Coordinates of all heavy atoms in Angstrom, one line a residue:
K1 N -7.7 12.5 -16.5 CA -6.8 11.9 -15.5 C -6.9 10.4 -15.6 O -5.9 9.7 -15.6 CB -7.3 12.4 -14.1 CG -6.7 11.7 -13.0 CD -6.9 12.4 -11.7 CE -8.3 12.7 -11.4 NZ -8.5 13.2 -10.1
F2 N -8.1 9.8 -15.7 CA -8.2 8.4 -15.8 C -8.7 8.1 -17.2 O -9.6 8.8 -17.7 CB -9.2 7.8 -14.8 CG -8.8 8.0 -13.4 CD1 -9.5 9.0 -12.6 CD2 -7.7 7.3 -12.8 CE1 -9.1 9.1 -11.3 CE2 -7.4 7.5 -11.5 CZ -8.0 8.5 -10.7
P3 N -8.2 7.0 -17.9 CA -8.7 6.8 -19.2 C -10.2 6.7 -19.4 O -10.8 7.1 -20.4 CB -8.0 5.4 -19.6 CG -6.9 5.4 -18.7 CD -7.2 6.1 -17.4
G4 N -10.9 6.1 -18.4 CA -12.3 5.9 -18.5 C -13.1 7.3 -18.4 O -14.1 7.5 -19.0
D5 N -12.4 8.3 -17.8 CA -13.0 9.6 -17.7 C -13.1 10.3 -19.0 O -14.0 11.1 -19.3 CB -12.2 10.5 -16.8 CG -12.3 10.0 -15.3 OD1 -13.2 9.3 -15.0 OD2 -11.5 10.5 -14.5
A6 N -12.2 9.9 -20.0 CA -12.2 10.5 -21.3 C -12.9 9.7 -22.3 O -12.8 9.9 -23.5 CB -10.7 10.7 -21.7
E7 N -13.8 8.8 -21.8 CA -14.6 7.9 -22.6 C -13.7 7.0 -23.5 O -14.2 6.7 -24.6 CB -15.6 8.7 -23.4 CG -16.6 9.5 -22.5 CD -17.6 10.3 -23.3 OE1 -17.8 10.0 -24.5 OE2 -18.2 11.1 -22.7
H8 N -12.6 6.7 -23.0 CA -11.8 5.6 -23.7 C -12.2 4.3 -23.2 O -12.6 4.1 -22.1 CB -10.3 5.9 -23.4 CG -9.7 7.1 -24.0 ND1 -9.5 7.3 -25.3 CD2 -9.4 8.3 -23.4 CE1 -9.0 8.5 -25.5 NE2 -8.9 9.1 -24.4
S9 N -12.1 3.3 -24.1 CA -12.3 1.9 -23.7 C -11.0 1.4 -23.1 O -9.9 1.6 -23.6 CB -12.7 1.1 -24.9 OG -12.8 -0.3 -24.5
V10 N -11.1 0.7 -21.9 CA -9.9 0.2 -21.2 C -9.9 -1.3 -21.2 O -11.0 -1.9 -20.9 CB -9.9 0.7 -19.8 CG1 -8.7 0.2 -19.0 CG2 -9.9 2.3 -19.7
T11 N -8.8 -1.9 -21.6 CA -8.7 -3.3 -21.5 C -7.5 -3.6 -20.6 O -6.4 -3.1 -20.7 CB -8.4 -3.9 -22.9 OG1 -9.4 -3.6 -23.8 CG2 -8.2 -5.5 -22.9
L12 N -7.7 -4.5 -19.6 CA -6.7 -4.8 -18.6 C -6.2 -6.2 -18.9 O -6.9 -7.2 -19.1 CB -7.3 -4.8 -17.2 CG -6.4 -5.3 -16.1 CD1 -5.2 -4.2 -15.9 CD2 -7.2 -5.4 -14.8
Y13 N -4.9 -6.3 -19.1 CA -4.2 -7.6 -19.3 C -3.4 -7.9 -18.0 O -2.7 -7.1 -17.5 CB -3.2 -7.5 -20.5 CG -3.9 -7.3 -21.8 CD1 -4.1 -6.0 -22.3 CD2 -4.5 -8.3 -22.5 CE1 -4.7 -5.8 -23.5 CE2 -5.2 -8.2 -23.7 CZ -5.3 -6.9 -24.2 OH -5.9 -6.6 -25.4
E14 N -3.5 -9.1 -17.6 CA -2.7 -9.6 -16.4 C -2.2 -11.0 -16.6 O -3.0 -11.9 -17.0 CB -3.6 -9.6 -15.1 CG -3.0 -10.1 -13.9 CD -1.8 -9.2 -13.4 OE1 -2.0 -8.1 -13.1 OE2 -0.7 -9.8 -13.4
A15 N -0.9 -11.2 -16.5 CA -0.3 -12.5 -16.8 C -0.6 -13.5 -15.7 O -0.7 -14.7 -15.9 CB 1.2 -12.3 -16.9
R16 N -0.8 -13.0 -14.5 CA -1.1 -13.9 -13.3 C -2.6 -14.1 -13.2 O -3.3 -13.3 -13.7 CB -0.5 -13.4 -12.1 CG 1.0 -13.1 -12.1 CD 1.6 -12.6 -10.8 NE 0.8 -11.4 -10.3 CZ 0.7 -11.1 -9.1 NH1 1.4 -11.8 -8.1 NH2 -0.1 -10.1 -8.7
P17 N -2.9 -15.2 -12.4 CA -4.4 -15.4 -12.2 C -5.0 -14.4 -11.2 O -6.2 -14.3 -10.9 CB -4.5 -16.8 -11.6 CG -3.1 -17.1 -11.1 CD -2.1 -16.3 -11.9
I18 N -4.1 -13.5 -10.6 CA -4.5 -12.6 -9.6 C -4.4 -11.2 -10.2 O -3.3 -10.8 -10.6 CB -3.6 -12.7 -8.3 CG1 -3.6 -14.1 -7.7 CG2 -4.1 -11.6 -7.3 CD1 -4.9 -14.6 -7.3
L19 N -5.4 -10.4 -10.1 CA -5.3 -9.0 -10.6 C -4.6 -8.1 -9.6 O -4.6 -8.4 -8.4 CB -6.7 -8.4 -10.8 CG -7.6 -9.0 -11.9 CD1 -9.0 -8.4 -11.9 CD2 -6.9 -8.9 -13.2
G20 N -3.9 -7.1 -10.1 CA -3.3 -6.2 -9.2 C -1.9 -5.8 -9.5 O -1.4 -4.8 -9.0
G21 N -1.2 -6.6 -10.3 CA 0.2 -6.3 -10.6 C 1.1 -6.2 -9.4 O 1.1 -7.2 -8.6
K22 N 1.7 -5.1 -9.1 CA 2.6 -5.0 -8.0 C 1.9 -5.0 -6.7 O 2.4 -5.5 -5.7 CB 3.4 -3.7 -8.1 CG 4.4 -3.4 -7.0 CD 5.2 -2.2 -7.2 CE 6.0 -1.8 -6.0 NZ 7.0 -2.8 -5.7
V23 N 0.6 -4.6 -6.6 CA -0.1 -4.6 -5.4 C -1.3 -5.5 -5.5 O -2.2 -5.3 -6.3 CB -0.6 -3.2 -5.0 CG1 -1.4 -3.2 -3.7 CG2 0.6 -2.2 -4.9
S24 N -1.4 -6.5 -4.7 CA -2.5 -7.5 -4.8 C -2.6 -8.3 -3.5 O -1.7 -8.3 -2.7 CB -2.3 -8.5 -6.0 OG -1.1 -9.2 -5.8
A25 N -3.7 -8.9 -3.3 CA -4.0 -9.7 -2.1 C -4.9 -10.8 -2.5 O -5.8 -10.7 -3.3 CB -4.6 -8.9 -1.0
W26 N -4.7 -12.0 -1.9 CA -5.5 -13.2 -2.2 C -5.4 -14.2 -1.1 O -4.5 -14.1 -0.2 CB -5.1 -13.8 -3.5 CG -3.7 -14.4 -3.5 CD1 -3.4 -15.8 -3.3 CD2 -2.5 -13.8 -3.8 NE1 -2.1 -15.9 -3.4 CE2 -1.5 -14.8 -3.7 CE3 -2.1 -12.5 -4.1 CZ2 -0.1 -14.5 -3.9 CZ3 -0.8 -12.2 -4.3 CH2 0.2 -13.2 -4.2
Q27 N -6.2 -15.1 -1.1 CA -6.2 -16.2 0.0 C -5.7 -17.4 -0.7 O -6.1 -17.9 -1.8 CB -7.7 -16.4 0.5 CG -7.7 -17.2 1.7 CD -9.1 -17.2 2.4 OE1 -10.0 -16.7 1.8 NE2 -9.2 -17.6 3.6
D28 N -4.6 -18.1 -0.1 CA -4.0 -19.3 -0.7 C -4.8 -20.5 -0.3 O -5.9 -20.5 0.4 CB -2.6 -19.3 -0.2 CG -2.3 -19.7 1.2 OD1 -3.3 -20.0 1.9 OD2 -1.2 -19.6 1.7
A29 N -4.3 -21.6 -0.8 CA -5.0 -22.9 -0.6 C -5.2 -23.3 0.9 O -6.1 -24.0 1.3 CB -4.3 -24.0 -1.3
D30 N -4.3 -22.8 1.8 CA -4.4 -23.1 3.2 C -5.3 -22.1 3.9 O -5.5 -22.3 5.1 CB -3.0 -23.0 3.8 CG -2.0 -24.1 3.3 OD1 -2.5 -25.2 2.9 OD2 -0.8 -23.9 3.3
G31 N -5.8 -21.1 3.2 CA -6.7 -20.1 3.8 C -5.9 -18.9 4.4 O -6.6 -18.0 4.9
D32 N -4.6 -18.9 4.2 CA -3.9 -17.7 4.6 C -4.0 -16.6 3.6 O -4.1 -16.8 2.4 CB -2.3 -18.1 4.7 CG -2.1 -19.1 5.8 OD1 -2.7 -19.0 6.9 OD2 -1.4 -20.0 5.5
F33 N -4.1 -15.3 4.1 CA -4.1 -14.2 3.2 C -2.7 -13.7 2.8 O -1.9 -13.6 3.7 CB -4.9 -13.0 3.8 CG -6.3 -13.3 3.9 CD1 -7.0 -13.8 5.0 CD2 -7.1 -13.0 2.7 CE1 -8.3 -14.0 5.0 CE2 -8.5 -13.2 2.8 CZ -9.1 -13.8 3.9
I34 N -2.4 -13.6 1.5 CA -1.2 -13.2 1.0 C -1.3 -11.8 0.4 O -2.3 -11.5 -0.3 CB -0.7 -14.1 -0.1 CG1 -0.7 -15.6 0.3 CG2 0.7 -13.7 -0.6 CD1 0.1 -15.9 1.5
E35 N -0.4 -10.9 0.8 CA -0.4 -9.5 0.3 C 0.9 -9.2 -0.3 O 1.9 -9.6 0.2 CB -0.7 -8.5 1.4 CG -2.1 -8.7 2.0 CD -2.3 -7.7 3.2 OE1 -1.4 -7.0 3.5 OE2 -3.5 -7.6 3.6
T36 N 0.9 -8.5 -1.4 CA 2.2 -8.0 -2.0 C 2.0 -6.5 -2.3 O 0.9 -6.0 -2.4 CB 2.4 -8.7 -3.3 OG1 1.4 -8.4 -4.3 CG2 2.5 -10.2 -3.2
G37 N 3.2 -5.9 -2.4 CA 3.2 -4.4 -2.7 C 3.2 -3.5 -1.6 O 3.6 -3.9 -0.5
L38 N 2.9 -2.3 -1.9 CA 3.0 -1.2 -0.9 C 2.1 -1.4 0.3 O 0.9 -1.6 0.1 CB 2.7 0.1 -1.6 CG 3.0 1.4 -0.9 CD1 4.5 1.6 -0.6 CD2 2.5 2.6 -1.7
H39 N 2.6 -1.3 1.5 CA 1.8 -1.5 2.7 C 1.6 -0.2 3.5 O 0.9 -0.2 4.4 CB 2.4 -2.6 3.6 CG 2.1 -4.0 3.0 ND1 2.9 -4.5 2.0 CD2 1.2 -4.9 3.2 CE1 2.5 -5.7 1.7 NE2 1.5 -6.0 2.4
I40 N 2.4 0.8 3.2 CA 2.3 2.0 3.9 C 2.3 3.2 2.9 O 2.8 3.1 1.8 CB 3.5 2.2 4.9 CG1 4.8 2.1 4.2 CG2 3.4 1.2 6.0 CD1 6.0 2.4 5.1
F41 N 1.7 4.3 3.4 CA 1.5 5.4 2.5 C 2.1 6.6 3.3 O 1.6 7.1 4.3 CB 0.0 5.7 2.2 CG -0.6 4.6 1.6 CD1 -1.6 3.8 2.2 CD2 -0.4 4.3 0.2 CE1 -2.2 2.7 1.6 CE2 -1.0 3.2 -0.4 CZ -1.9 2.5 0.3
F42 N 3.2 7.1 2.8 CA 3.9 8.2 3.4 C 3.3 9.5 2.9 O 2.6 9.6 1.9 CB 5.4 8.2 3.0 CG 6.2 7.0 3.5 CD1 6.6 6.1 2.6 CD2 6.4 6.9 4.8 CE1 7.3 5.0 3.1 CE2 7.1 5.8 5.3 CZ 7.6 4.8 4.5
G43 N 3.5 10.6 3.7 CA 3.1 11.9 3.2 C 3.7 12.4 1.9 O 3.2 13.3 1.3
A44 N 4.8 11.7 1.5 CA 5.4 12.0 0.2 C 4.6 11.4 -0.9 O 5.0 11.6 -2.1 CB 6.8 11.5 0.2
Y45 N 3.5 10.8 -0.7 CA 2.7 10.2 -1.7 C 1.4 10.9 -1.8 O 0.3 10.3 -1.5 CB 2.5 8.7 -1.5 CG 3.7 7.9 -1.5 CD1 3.8 6.9 -0.6 CD2 4.8 8.1 -2.4 CE1 5.0 6.0 -0.5 CE2 5.9 7.3 -2.3 CZ 6.0 6.3 -1.4 OH 7.1 5.5 -1.3
P46 N 1.3 12.2 -2.1 CA 0.1 12.9 -2.1 C -0.9 12.4 -3.1 O -2.2 12.5 -2.8 CB 0.5 14.4 -2.4 CG 1.8 14.3 -3.2 CD 2.4 13.0 -2.6
N47 N -0.5 11.8 -4.2 CA -1.5 11.4 -5.2 C -2.4 10.3 -4.6 O -3.6 10.2 -4.9 CB -0.8 10.9 -6.4 CG -0.2 12.0 -7.2 OD1 -0.6 13.2 -7.0 ND2 0.8 11.7 -8.1
I48 N -1.8 9.4 -3.8 CA -2.7 8.3 -3.2 C -3.7 8.9 -2.3 O -4.8 8.5 -2.2 CB -1.8 7.2 -2.6 CG1 -2.7 5.9 -2.3 CG2 -1.1 7.6 -1.3 CD1 -3.1 5.2 -3.5
H49 N -3.3 9.9 -1.5 CA -4.2 10.5 -0.6 C -5.3 11.3 -1.3 O -6.5 11.2 -0.9 CB -3.5 11.5 0.4 CG -2.5 10.7 1.4 ND1 -3.0 10.1 2.5 CD2 -1.2 10.5 1.3 CE1 -2.0 9.5 3.1 NE2 -0.9 9.8 2.4
N50 N -4.9 11.9 -2.4 CA -5.9 12.5 -3.3 C -6.9 11.5 -3.8 O -8.1 11.8 -3.9 CB -5.2 13.4 -4.4 CG -4.5 14.5 -3.9 OD1 -4.7 15.0 -2.8 ND2 -3.5 15.0 -4.7
L51 N -6.4 10.4 -4.2 CA -7.3 9.3 -4.8 C -8.2 8.8 -3.7 O -9.4 8.7 -4.0 CB -6.4 8.2 -5.3 CG -7.2 7.0 -5.9 CD1 -8.1 7.4 -7.0 CD2 -6.3 5.9 -6.3
F52 N -7.7 8.7 -2.5 CA -8.6 8.2 -1.4 C -9.7 9.2 -1.2 O -10.9 8.9 -1.0 CB -7.8 8.1 -0.1 CG -6.8 7.0 0.0 CD1 -5.7 7.1 0.8 CD2 -6.9 5.9 -0.8 CE1 -4.8 6.1 0.9 CE2 -6.0 4.9 -0.8 CZ -4.9 5.0 0.1
E53 N -9.4 10.6 -1.3 CA -10.4 11.6 -1.1 C -11.4 11.5 -2.3 O -12.6 11.7 -2.1 CB -9.8 12.9 -1.0 CG -9.1 13.2 0.3 CD -8.4 14.5 0.4 OE1 -8.7 15.4 -0.4 OE2 -7.5 14.6 1.3
E54 N -10.9 11.4 -3.5 CA -11.7 11.4 -4.7 C -12.7 10.2 -4.6 O -13.9 10.2 -5.0 CB -10.9 11.3 -5.9 CG -11.7 11.4 -7.2 CD -10.8 11.5 -8.5 OE1 -9.8 12.1 -8.4 OE2 -11.2 11.0 -9.5
L55 N -12.2 9.0 -4.1 CA -13.1 7.9 -4.0 C -14.0 7.9 -2.8 O -14.8 7.0 -2.6 CB -12.2 6.6 -3.9 CG -11.3 6.3 -5.1 CD1 -10.4 5.1 -4.9 CD2 -12.2 6.0 -6.3
R56 N -13.8 8.9 -2.0 CA -14.6 9.1 -0.8 C -14.5 7.9 0.2 O -15.5 7.5 0.7 CB -16.1 9.4 -1.1 CG -16.2 10.7 -1.9 CD -17.7 11.0 -2.1 NE -17.8 12.3 -2.8 CZ -18.4 12.4 -4.0 NH1 -19.0 11.4 -4.6 NH2 -18.5 13.6 -4.5
I57 N -13.3 7.5 0.4 CA -13.1 6.4 1.3 C -12.2 6.7 2.5 O -11.9 5.8 3.3 CB -12.4 5.2 0.6 CG1 -11.1 5.5 0.0 CG2 -13.4 4.6 -0.5 CD1 -10.3 4.3 -0.5
T58 N -11.9 8.0 2.6 CA -11.0 8.4 3.7 C -11.6 8.0 5.2 O -10.8 7.7 6.1 CB -10.6 9.9 3.7 OG1 -11.8 10.6 3.7 CG2 -9.8 10.2 2.5
D59 N -12.9 8.0 5.2 CA -13.5 7.7 6.5 C -13.5 6.2 6.8 O -13.8 5.8 7.9 CB -15.0 8.2 6.6 CG -15.9 7.6 5.5 OD1 -15.3 7.3 4.4 OD2 -17.1 7.5 5.7
R60 N -13.2 5.4 5.8 CA -13.1 3.9 6.0 C -11.7 3.4 6.1 O -11.5 2.2 6.3 CB -13.8 3.2 4.8 CG -15.3 3.5 4.8 CD -16.0 2.7 3.7 NE -15.9 3.5 2.5 CZ -16.0 3.0 1.3 NH1 -16.2 1.7 1.1 NH2 -16.0 3.8 0.2
L61 N -10.7 4.3 6.0 CA -9.3 3.8 6.2 C -9.0 3.7 7.7 O -9.5 4.4 8.5 CB -8.4 4.9 5.6 CG -8.6 5.1 4.1 CD1 -7.6 6.2 3.6 CD2 -8.2 3.8 3.3
Q62 N -8.2 2.6 8.0 CA -7.8 2.4 9.4 C -6.4 2.6 9.5 O -5.6 1.8 9.1 CB -8.2 1.0 9.8 CG -9.7 0.7 9.7 CD -10.0 -0.7 10.1 OE1 -9.2 -1.5 10.5 NE2 -11.3 -1.1 10.0
W63 N -6.0 3.8 10.0 CA -4.6 4.1 10.2 C -4.1 3.5 11.4 O -4.7 3.7 12.5 CB -4.4 5.6 10.2 CG -4.9 6.3 9.0 CD1 -6.0 7.0 8.8 CD2 -4.2 6.3 7.7 NE1 -6.1 7.4 7.5 CE2 -5.0 7.0 6.8 CE3 -3.0 5.7 7.2 CZ2 -4.7 7.2 5.4 CZ3 -2.7 5.9 5.9 CH2 -3.5 6.6 5.0
A64 N -3.1 2.7 11.3 CA -2.5 2.0 12.5 C -1.1 2.6 12.8 O -0.4 3.0 11.9 CB -2.3 0.6 12.2
P65 N -0.8 2.7 14.0 CA 0.6 3.2 14.4 C 1.6 2.1 13.9 O 1.3 0.9 13.9 CB 0.6 3.3 15.9 CG -0.5 2.5 16.4 CD -1.5 2.4 15.2
H66 N 2.7 2.6 13.4 CA 3.7 1.6 12.9 C 5.1 2.1 13.1 O 5.3 3.3 13.3 CB 3.4 1.2 11.5 CG 3.4 2.3 10.5 ND1 2.3 3.1 10.3 CD2 4.3 2.7 9.7 CE1 2.6 4.0 9.4 NE2 3.8 3.8 9.0
R67 N 6.0 1.2 12.9 CA 7.4 1.6 13.1 C 8.2 0.8 12.0 O 7.9 -0.3 11.6 CB 7.9 1.4 14.5 CG 8.5 0.0 14.7 CD 9.2 -0.2 16.0 NE 8.5 0.3 17.1 CZ 8.2 -0.5 18.2 NH1 8.6 -1.7 18.2 NH2 7.5 0.1 19.2
M68 N 9.4 1.4 11.7 CA 10.3 0.7 10.8 C 11.5 0.4 11.7 O 12.0 1.2 12.4 CB 10.7 1.5 9.6 CG 9.6 1.6 8.6 SD 10.1 2.6 7.1 CE 11.0 1.3 6.3
T69 N 12.0 -0.8 11.6 CA 13.1 -1.3 12.5 C 14.3 -1.6 11.5 O 14.1 -2.4 10.5 CB 12.8 -2.4 13.4 OG1 11.7 -2.0 14.2 CG2 14.0 -2.9 14.2
F70 N 15.5 -1.2 11.8 CA 16.6 -1.4 11.0 C 17.7 -2.1 11.8 O 18.0 -1.7 12.9 CB 17.2 -0.1 10.5 CG 16.2 0.8 9.7 CD1 15.4 1.7 10.4 CD2 16.0 0.6 8.4 CE1 14.5 2.5 9.7 CE2 15.0 1.4 7.7 CZ 14.3 2.3 8.4
A71 N 18.4 -3.1 11.1 CA 19.5 -3.7 11.7 C 20.7 -2.7 11.6 O 20.9 -2.0 10.6 CB 19.9 -5.0 11.0
M72 N 21.5 -2.6 12.6 CA 22.6 -1.7 12.6 C 23.9 -2.4 12.1 O 24.4 -3.3 12.8 CB 22.8 -1.0 14.0 CG 21.6 -0.2 14.4 SD 21.7 0.4 16.1 CE 23.1 1.5 16.0
Q73 N 24.4 -2.0 10.9 CA 25.5 -2.7 10.3 C 26.7 -2.7 11.2 O 27.4 -3.7 11.3 CB 25.8 -2.1 8.9 CG 26.9 -2.9 8.2 CD 27.1 -2.3 6.8 OE1 26.4 -1.3 6.4 NE2 28.0 -2.9 6.1
E74 N 27.0 -1.6 11.8 CA 28.2 -1.5 12.7 C 28.0 -2.2 14.0 O 29.0 -2.3 14.7 CB 28.5 0.0 12.9 CG 27.6 0.8 13.7 CD 26.3 1.3 12.9 OE1 26.2 1.0 11.7 OE2 25.5 2.0 13.5
L75 N 26.8 -2.6 14.4 CA 26.6 -3.3 15.7 C 25.7 -4.5 15.4 O 24.5 -4.5 15.6 CB 25.9 -2.3 16.7 CG 26.6 -1.1 17.1 CD1 25.7 -0.1 17.9 CD2 27.9 -1.4 17.9
P76 N 26.4 -5.6 15.0 CA 25.6 -6.8 14.7 C 24.7 -7.2 15.8 O 25.2 -7.2 17.0 CB 26.7 -7.9 14.4 CG 27.9 -7.1 13.9 CD 27.8 -5.8 14.7
G77 N 23.5 -7.6 15.5 CA 22.6 -8.0 16.6 C 21.8 -6.8 17.3 O 20.9 -7.0 18.1
E78 N 22.2 -5.6 16.9 CA 21.5 -4.4 17.5 C 20.6 -3.8 16.4 O 20.9 -3.9 15.2 CB 22.6 -3.4 17.9 CG 23.5 -3.8 19.0 CD 22.7 -4.0 20.4 OE1 21.8 -3.1 20.6 OE2 23.0 -4.9 21.1
F79 N 19.6 -3.2 16.9 CA 18.6 -2.6 16.0 C 18.2 -1.2 16.4 O 18.3 -0.8 17.6 CB 17.3 -3.4 16.0 CG 17.5 -4.9 15.5 CD1 17.9 -5.8 16.4 CD2 17.5 -5.2 14.2 CE1 18.1 -7.1 16.0 CE2 17.7 -6.5 13.8 CZ 18.1 -7.4 14.7
T80 N 17.7 -0.4 15.5 CA 17.2 0.9 15.8 C 15.8 1.1 15.1 O 15.6 0.4 14.1 CB 18.2 2.0 15.3 OG1 17.7 3.3 15.7 CG2 18.3 2.0 13.8
S81 N 14.9 1.9 15.7 CA 13.6 2.0 15.1 C 13.2 3.4 14.9 O 13.7 4.3 15.6 CB 12.6 1.3 16.1 OG 12.8 -0.1 16.2
F82 N 12.3 3.6 14.0 CA 11.7 4.9 13.7 C 10.2 4.8 13.9 O 9.6 3.9 13.2 CB 12.0 5.4 12.3 CG 11.3 6.7 12.0 CD1 11.8 7.9 12.4 CD2 10.2 6.7 11.2 CE1 11.2 9.1 12.1 CE2 9.5 7.9 10.9 CZ 10.0 9.1 11.3
E83 N 9.6 5.5 14.8 CA 8.2 5.5 15.0 C 7.5 6.5 14.1 O 7.9 7.7 14.2 CB 7.8 5.9 16.5 CG 8.5 4.9 17.5 CD 7.7 3.6 17.6 OE1 6.5 3.6 17.3 OE2 8.4 2.7 18.1
F84 N 6.6 6.1 13.3 CA 5.9 7.0 12.4 C 4.8 7.8 13.2 O 4.1 7.1 14.0 CB 5.3 6.3 11.2 CG 6.3 5.9 10.2 CD1 6.9 4.6 10.4 CD2 6.6 6.7 9.1 CE1 7.8 4.2 9.4 CE2 7.5 6.3 8.2 CZ 8.2 5.0 8.4
P85 N 4.6 9.0 12.9 CA 3.5 9.8 13.6 C 2.2 9.2 13.2 O 2.0 8.8 12.1 CB 3.7 11.2 13.1 CG 4.8 11.2 12.2 CD 5.4 9.9 12.0
A86 N 1.2 9.3 14.1 CA -0.1 8.8 13.8 C -0.8 9.6 12.8 O -0.7 10.8 12.7 CB -1.0 8.7 15.1
G87 N -1.7 8.9 12.0 CA -2.6 9.6 11.0 C -1.9 10.5 10.1 O -2.3 11.2 9.3

């Protein structure tokens, strides 16, 4: 499943000074934390949940209630929201 599991040697190349590719986080010169990439994990992503279990970190995850809000094209200035179920 993972290259290291098959005793392969892995070399990681990254063009930027920050590791992570699409998903990364770092602190900028002003001290602000910058995050990029996926911030939510839907039930449609079972592989990430399986990875959390394999890494034995599910007890350290902090699931927060969240919502997605969308601008309504047909009603400028109006919005609709979807509340995601907890956990």
Side-chain angles (χ1 to χ4, degrees):
K1 169 169 51 174
F2 299 108
D5 292 343
E7 299 182 16
H8 292 285
S9 177
V10 177
T11 302
L12 176 67
Y13 295 96
E14 176 63 65
R16 302 179 313 153
I18 306 298
L19 293 177
K22 181 175 172 65
V23 179
S24 58
W26 67 94
Q27 197 168 9
D28 69 10
D30 295 330
D32 298 315
F33 286 94
I34 309 298
E35 297 180 351
T36 64
L38 189 63
H39 287 80
I40 56 176
F41 303 107
F42 297 107
Y45 301 139
N47 291 341
I48 193 71
H49 293 280
N50 292 341
L51 179 61
F52 293 155
E53 289 177 15
E54 185 173 327
L55 295 172
R56 296 188 177 119
I57 62 168
T58 54
D59 61 327
R60 291 185 274 155
L61 298 174
Q62 297 179 4
W63 299 104
H66 59 280
R67 90 169 50 125
M68 291 182 76
T69 301
F70 304 92
M72 298 175 65
Q73 184 176 1
E74 66 279 2
L75 298 170
E78 297 291 323
F79 301 89
T80 186
S81 295
F82 175 79
E83 302 282 338
F84 287 87

